[in-house]
Amino acid sequence: MPGYAVVDVEATGRSPWRHRVVEIAVVLLDDGLRPEGEFSSLVDPLGPVGPTHVHRIAQEDVVGAPRFRELAPELLDLLAGRVLVGHHVTCDHAFLDREFARIGVVLPAVPLLCTMRLARELLPEAGGWGLAACVRAAGLGWYPAHTALGDARAAAGLLRHCLDAQAGPPAELPVAAAVPWPRLGRARSLDGEGQVPVLSRALPAGPWLPGVRPAGRLASTAGGE
């Protein structure tokens, strides 16, 4: 289905080549920017979790979390056919590209849309181009920063805010829909039954944006619970 996959990753360091993803979230929007669902999970990085003072993920938090290889088939399904969106999206894309490469999967050349670049053009009053400054300038409210799902939801809100100010849908949508994506066989949980369980971080309760319901496995955010 054409649309957007807004992605955020938290990692064990800054280098996609030397460091690993420790948390990932995907917020899906359709071609009209309406929420379709979301996914989030901590990821076992198979080593130290890195800068806990930044992402607030401790080593014990990833005990029992799935490895990237276990989540990879589902992530490919979520991203396929969509424009990949993020705040400084080239960074998130680089981490995804390297994680998939480690398991022998080559990501296709997919259109990218950067909310930082959009904010530079449309929110000159922001005074800075980090996600928090851009979200404030757009009047979108508070969100739990440096959590993958919090950042992805905030970037999705920023994307809607910026694209609403432009005329017509981005040219990237039909291009993304035509890109062929690889598929992987479904990974199984350790007991051999069902889907691999995700381990989602508990987020603060309260009126934060957009979409207030915590999510793990993909779940509809329109007309659901």
Side-chain angles (χ1 to χ4, degrees), residues 31-57:
D31 56 1
L33 298 171
R34 293 175 291 268
E36 292 184 294
E38 55 189 24
F39 171 93
S40 71
S41 183
L42 293 164
V43 182
D44 181 355
L46 305 177
V49 296
T52 297
H53 67 285
V54 175
H55 51 51
R56 300 188 300 281
I57 298 169

Side-chain angles (χ1 to χ4, degrees), residues 121-175:
E121 297 173 1
L122 300 170
L123 294 169
E125 69 279 14
W129 307 117
L131 182 57
C134 294
V135 164
R136 277 196 305 272
L140 296 177
W142 178 86
Y143 69 98
H146 297 297
T147 65
L149 183 57
D151 286 356
R153 285 177 173 175
L158 186 59
L159 178 73
R160 286 199 296 265
H161 178 86
C162 290
L163 292 190
D164 283 347
Q166 295 185 333
E172 291 92 345
L173 280 175
V175 176

Side-chain angles (χ1 to χ4, degrees), residues 22-168:
V22 73
E23 186 180 33
I24 185 166
V26 182
V27 173
L28 299 182
L29 305 175
D30 68 13
D31 56 1
L33 298 171
R34 293 175 291 268
E36 292 184 294
E38 55 189 24
F39 171 93
S40 71
S41 183
L42 293 164
V43 182
D44 181 355
L46 305 177
V49 296
T52 297
H53 67 285
V54 175
H55 51 51
R56 300 188 300 281
I57 298 169
Q59 201 69 42
E60 58 268 24
D61 294 332
V62 299
V63 174
R67 300 178 180 185
F68 188 86
R69 172 61 182 88
E70 296 177 287
L71 299 176
E74 192 163 3
L75 290 172
L76 288 173
D77 288 347
L78 294 175
L79 301 177
R82 295 175 183 268
V83 178
L84 191 66
V85 182
H87 201 75
H88 194 15
V89 68
T90 55
C91 179
D92 297 295
H93 178 263
F95 272 100
L96 285 175
D97 188 65
R98 288 304 308 153
E99 289 287 0
F100 277 110
R102 288 184 180 104
I103 60 172
V105 176
V106 178
L107 290 188
V110 62
L112 306 178
L113 196 55
C114 183
T115 53
M116 180 185 292
R117 179 182 61 80
L118 289 171
R120 284 180 180 272
E121 297 173 1
L122 300 170
L123 294 169
E125 69 279 14
W129 307 117
L131 182 57
C134 294
V135 164
R136 277 196 305 272
L140 296 177
W142 178 86
Y143 69 98
H146 297 297
T147 65
L149 183 57
D151 286 356
R153 285 177 173 175
L158 186 59
L159 178 73
R160 286 199 296 265
H161 178 86
C162 290
L163 292 190
D164 283 347
Q166 295 185 333

